[in-house]
Amino acid sequence: MSQSELFLVNGRLLDPATGVDGVRTVHVVDGRIRSISADLPSNTQGVKVIDCAGKLVLPGFIDLHAHLREPGEEYKETILTGARSAVAGGFTAVVAMPNTRPPIDNAHLVRFVLDRAAEAGLARVYPSGAISKGQEGKDLAEIGDMVQAGAVCITDDGRPVMDPALMRRALEYAKTFDLPVMVHEEDLHLAAGGCMNEGAVSTRLGLRGSPNVAEDAMVLRDIELCALTGGRLHIAHLSTAGSVRAVRDAKRRGLRVTAEATPHHFTLTDEAVGTYDTRAKMCPPLRTQADVDAVLVGLADGTIDAIATDHAPHSAVEKDVEFERAANGIVGLETALPLTLALVRSGAISLMRAVELLSLGPAKAFGLPGGRVAEGEVADLAIVDPEAEWRVDPARFESKGRYTPFEGWTLRGRVDLTLVGGAIVYESKESGR
Amino acid sequence: MTLARKHLLGIEPLERAEIEEILGLAVSMKELLRQDLKKSPALRGKTVINCFFESSTRTRSSFEIAAKILSADAVNWSSSGSSVSKGESLIDTAKNLEAMRPDILVIRHAASGAPHLVASRVGCAVVNAGDGAHEHPSQALLDAFTLRERWGSLEGRTVAIVGDIRHSRVARSNIYCLRKLGARVRLCGPPTMIPIGIEALGCDTTFDLREAVTGADAVMMLRIQNERIAGSLFPSTREYSKLYGLSQAKTSWLKDDALILHPGPINRGVELEPEVADGERSVILDQVENGVAVRMAILQLLAGGVA
Ligand SMILES: [Zn+2]
């Protein structure tokens, strides 16, 4: 009998890489998938068997965009609590954003993140490095050194790269390592200090608005720089109809452009700001229904490669304040799955596409392992009860963050079990197993 | 007499009947204000804290006088921007003030929604005395009072509001108030000052001053903040006043009996030529006096409602 051997039986396996959708037995040995079969195992003596009847067996989700806040802002989140939050949401891997304090702009800090993640031993954490030293947008950081230490992309996320010449150099230089350059697209001049979407709602509330064009113009600029340089461009948290159109056109041109959208941007509009609700304060801001509709089409037709959470935990110090002074961002990891499944129920995307957007899509966009359930692959898996309903209670989050616009919502779809490398790293208390 | 609600955070949530109730009570408050002995015991034993995070001597004095005439104890608390940046949050400040047991907190704040945040955390009544570019309800009520004094009713009247609509809380509150009382509202300013979607509040917009004021029964000129020039909303005050200021000559575009309002303080020679500001059509000083009467009505209704 091996401790590191188990069978998942009776579950509905969905694998976007092979198109498999059916009840299968998954045999995991020593952290990898040994076999997938339509039959029940004949001999399970002494081997752990997990009955997944009525559940979905999915490739573990991969989040290209999570803020784990360590080093520097451990009061908001640590790599450990962030990793706990990840596995509670079915995420077996997350890409950690470098806008920490200090920013992750050198190999030492990249290694620090990997060390902390290894200590946590939960989700796989892939560090990203800053594009520019100190994320100041002036000089390139030591990108090669960070890649050798384990960085999987570079980004100044949290801030746009305002200098187009620096952006060109970043795309050119990152080609050496075939590295994606992730961009937070916001022209700060056009955004003009806006703290929500510019439109009828911002006008009524008397809040400064940031127009769609602040995002669109930067997306268009960077797509042309991508064409010029032949680099890999990844558009973070795309939120406007114009961005979707621009990315679709770029893909038609054969450019190496990928994009992600967040659950809050495809679920909510700027109306969620209500009367100055800081739980609805994001950057980019929540947009209008026309933008949400365009993002949904982009998710369905392949324009958008991945659903990313932009998990951005904050404390009351940043959030329980005047709206215009409040920090941007929400807890994302623990609500992503049910919000994505809601798109399946509304008919916007198929279940297989939903799974792809959470797993294979992000894996392919960044060239990461995982995202597949196939023989020989690492056993990074999420077991999901698609029908289970639960009420979002931030006090019960694994994340240190407590702010979400979905507080009090009843969502459908719950992660029951998460396996990383064949080990159970999360088990829902509600799963009743 | 009490209002059905605990706070006065804006005109948008008010019913027409509530507006009428405030304006109705303000009529008798104005009579009281004009007496030799201006004193009513109505709010004796009540405490009003004027909590100003943004300076405005006029509005603060108006609330202070209103409270004192009604025999409330009025305390002025002001915060410079620096003390906020020392780290105390708005909620901390509000909780501290609340611990001193006021009946009403009157709040002026540069951030839109700040009074809403305070109201959600304190037990006493909150009056919005101007929040960012959102609302300035007592100003709209005193404007409506001033117009009603002249016209009897606002039903069917047309009011033009001219200037920086984008950043104006006075404009937003007035749009709601005038519309609820049956008036039509036209907004006018350079396109840089007309925000997207403002028509959704139920008004027309034009970039042409002549078109805006022609046939209007009243013209409300908004104050132009000089710092707006740095934001490139218009090239110069000279050009602004040429295009959107009301000069003596341009008053020929107005109806003979059209009234001119301004929330003050006036940039003389920018929004209004001095002759116009001090001219026969101007009701600017009436607005100031009526401001006290309207604020007396607000305080009395809210302090009564909190009992
Ligand atoms: Zn970002």
Side-chain angles (χ1 to χ4, degrees):
Chain A
M1 129 169 205
S2 166
Q3 274 294 91
S4 56
E5 180 174 359
L6 61 85
F7 285 104
L8 301 170
V9 298
N10 299 325
R12 177 180 170 194
L13 173 70
L14 284 112
D15 179 44
T18 55
V20 169
D21 177 357
V23 175
R24 295 287 189 280
T25 294
V26 180
H27 186 198
V28 176
V29 179
D30 291 334
R32 288 191 177 267
I33 295 168
R34 169 70 58 86
S35 69
I36 294 168
S37 138
D39 307 317
L40 287 169
S42 50
N43 183 6
T44 58
Q45 187 111 53
V47 179
K48 189 174 173 71
V49 177
I50 299 174
D51 186 2
C52 301
K55 310 282 172 69
L56 307 177
V57 176
L58 309 176
F61 312 148
I62 297 169
D63 187 6
L64 296 179
H65 195 150
H67 297 269
L68 302 186
R69 306 298 187 203
E70 189 177 357
E73 292 177 321
E74 289 84 351
Y75 69 100
K76 296 185 185 185
E77 194 82 293
T78 63
I79 289 169
L80 175 63
T81 60
R84 275 192 194 133
S85 185
V87 294
F91 288 90
T92 52
V94 298
V95 176
M97 291 295 106
N99 65 334
T100 48
R101 288 186 192 174
I104 296 164
D105 64 354
N106 62 67
H108 293 292
L109 285 171
V110 170
R111 278 191 287 269
F112 167 83
V113 172
L114 287 169
D115 289 349
R116 277 283 189 278
E119 283 169 29
L122 295 165
R124 299 174 200 276
V125 176
Y126 299 112
S128 55
I131 293 171
S132 63
K133 287 193 180 97
Q135 286 199 315
E136 284 173 353
K138 293 192 188 112
D139 306 302
L140 288 181
E142 290 185 328
I143 294 164
D145 209 22
M146 291 192 288
V147 169
Q148 281 169 6
V152 299
C153 89
I154 49 169
T155 180
D156 275 358
D157 179 54
R159 294 180 194 173
V161 177
M162 283 302 292
D163 179 349
L166 179 73
M167 187 60 203
R168 172 188 177 172
R169 297 300 171 221
L171 282 163
E172 279 174 345
Y173 193 78
K175 275 182 13 179
T176 318
F177 319 100
D178 197 32
L179 195 69
V181 181
M182 181 197 272
V183 280
H184 169 123
E185 300 292 48
E186 179 187 16
D187 183 306
L188 296 176
H189 300 297
L190 284 167
C195 60
M196 69 172 295
N197 182 54
E198 179 178 288
V201 181
S202 67
T203 291
R204 177 166 56 81
L205 293 173
L207 290 170
R208 272 194 225 210
S210 177
N212 281 24
V213 71
E215 177 172 324
D216 301 345
M218 291 286 272
V219 169
L220 290 165
R221 181 199 79 172
D222 289 345
I223 284 170
E224 291 312 316
L225 290 172
C226 180
L228 173 71
T229 60
R232 282 173 72 178
L233 180 72
H234 178 77
I235 316 276
H237 45 50
L238 154 166
S239 75
T240 65
S243 295
V244 177
R245 197 181 321 123
V247 171
R248 186 177 290 127
D249 290 347
K251 285 190 161 165
R252 275 195 198 124
R253 289 162 68 187
L255 301 177
R256 303 182 76 193
V257 175
T258 53
E260 65 184 39
T262 76
H264 47 272
H265 285 117
F266 63 63
T267 306
L268 300 170
T269 68
D270 55 358
E271 298 280 354
V273 173
T275 41
Y276 309 99
D277 188 345
T278 62
R279 291 174 302 183
K281 187 171 178 192
M282 331 279 184
C283 186
L286 299 172
R287 304 285 186 184
T288 64
Q289 192 59 48
D291 296 302
V292 172
D293 292 343
V295 169
L296 291 177
V297 173
L299 287 167
D301 73 5
T303 301
I304 298 167
D305 302 85
I307 288 171
T309 67
D310 195 6
H311 177 77
H314 289 290
S315 79
V317 176
E318 290 85 13
K319 278 294 203 184
D320 211 7
V321 297
E322 301 90 309
F323 189 89
E324 61 191 48
R325 290 181 184 153
N328 297 304
I330 59 163
V331 173
L333 290 164
E334 295 174 57
T335 49
L337 167 81
L339 294 169
T340 303
L341 290 181
L343 302 187
V344 177
R345 280 193 290 272
S346 73
I349 55 175
S350 69
L351 179 58
M352 189 63 93
R353 178 67 183 147
V355 174
E356 182 178 19
L357 283 161
L358 286 167
S359 58
L360 184 64
K364 287 200 325 207
F366 275 27
L368 300 173
R372 298 163 175 85
V373 188
E375 287 173 17
E377 287 285 334
V378 291
D380 287 6
L381 300 165
I383 315 298
V384 164
D385 183 338
E387 300 304 327
E389 292 196 342
W390 58 286
R391 200 166 163 279
V392 179
D393 175 7
R396 302 181 67 183
F397 281 158
E398 297 288 340
S399 168
K400 284 192 180 182
R402 293 288 176 263
Y403 291 88
T404 166
F406 307 109
E407 179 170 355
W409 286 34
T410 297
L411 300 179
R412 226 161 108 198
R414 183 183 65 212
V415 176
D416 275 357
L417 205 64
T418 306
L419 291 89
V420 173
I424 295 173
V425 289
Y426 173 77
E427 189 169 2
S428 164
K429 292 171 195 73
E430 277 80 41
S431 68
R433 286 190 339 103
Chain B
M1 223 186 324
T2 61
L3 267 189
R5 62 189 68 238
K6 184 170 176 183
H7 310 291
L8 179 63
L9 300 178
I11 302 292
E12 187 189 6
L14 295 186
E15 305 290 335
R16 178 173 180 158
E18 294 173 280
I19 295 171
E20 306 265 12
E21 186 171 4
I22 297 168
L23 298 182
L25 182 58
V27 173
S28 45
M29 291 299 182
K30 185 165 182 178
E31 284 165 14
L32 174 59
L33 181 62
R34 287 194 159 187
Q35 283 171 13
D36 261 1
L37 286 172
K38 302 184 262 293
K39 204 72 175 175
S40 149
L43 297 186
R44 186 186 292 151
K46 303 279 185 185
T47 307
V48 177
I49 302 184
N50 286 321
C51 190
F52 277 52
F53 293 84
E54 185 188 75
S55 61
S56 165
T57 312
R58 274 172 193 245
T59 304
R60 201 207 62 216
S61 304
S62 183
F63 270 106
E64 187 180 353
I65 291 168
K68 285 182 168 160
I69 293 174
L70 297 175
S71 302
D73 293 303
V75 179
N76 292 319
W77 182 94
S78 63
S79 155
S80 57
S82 64
S83 73
V84 171
S85 64
K86 270 177 197 159
E88 188 173 68
S89 72
L90 175 60
I91 292 171
D92 283 341
T93 304
K95 290 262 183 203
N96 272 284
L97 292 172
E98 185 196 17
M100 300 176 197
R101 297 266 163 214
D103 298 279
I104 298 181
L105 281 178
V106 178
I107 293 180
R108 161 69 66 100
H109 200 290
S112 298
H116 301 68
L117 181 62
V118 172
S120 72
R121 303 308 164 89
V122 299
C124 61
V126 173
V127 176
N128 180 0
D131 64 325
H134 178 229
E135 283 227 42
H136 193 352
S138 62
Q139 177 72 42
L141 290 165
L142 75 87
D143 290 337
F145 184 93
T146 304
L147 295 173
R148 255 184 29 162
E149 224 177 14
R150 299 287 176 131
W151 299 337
S153 160
L154 273 63
E155 207 68 57
R157 298 282 185 164
T158 298
V159 179
I161 305 177
V162 180
D164 187 358
I165 310 295
R166 180 185 292 272
H167 297 96
S168 176
R169 50 194 171 213
V170 174
R172 281 170 185 70
S173 281
N174 263 299
I175 293 166
Y176 294 125
C177 195
L178 295 166
R179 295 268 301 128
K180 287 180 192 222
L181 293 175
R184 277 188 299 273
V185 178
R186 289 179 194 157
L187 305 177
C188 176
T192 48
M193 291 180 167
I194 307 285
I196 288 172
I198 193 81
E199 298 83 0
L201 304 189
C203 43
D204 300 321
T205 56
T206 170
F207 310 135
D208 183 80
L209 180 65
R210 183 169 194 157
E211 188 186 320
V213 302
T214 301
D217 297 292
V219 180
M220 197 174 279
M221 304 301 288
L222 298 176
R223 175 178 164 76
I224 290 304
Q225 249 97 56
N226 287 318
E227 63 265 25
R228 301 291 179 220
I229 304 168
S232 294
L233 290 182
F234 54 93
S236 67
T237 42
R238 178 181 164 274
E239 178 160 324
Y240 178 85
S241 93
K242 205 171 153 192
L243 290 172
Y244 295 100
L246 206 50
S247 63
Q248 187 68 36
K250 289 185 206 163
T251 55
S252 66
W253 299 342
L254 301 179
K255 277 170 78 171
D256 287 342
D257 56 354
L259 302 175
I260 292 169
L261 297 88
H262 191 293
I266 307 165
N267 294 305
R268 286 181 179 258
V270 181
E271 302 101 36
L272 292 171
E273 266 185 7
E275 299 76 21
V276 181
D278 303 330
E280 279 192 351
R281 307 158 180 276
S282 168
V283 292
I284 294 170
L285 291 177
D286 295 9
Q287 289 174 276
V288 177
E289 181 182 4
N290 293 338
V292 178
V294 163
R295 289 174 178 121
M296 287 165 69
I298 292 167
L299 294 177
Q300 172 144 340
L301 287 169
L302 290 181
V306 180

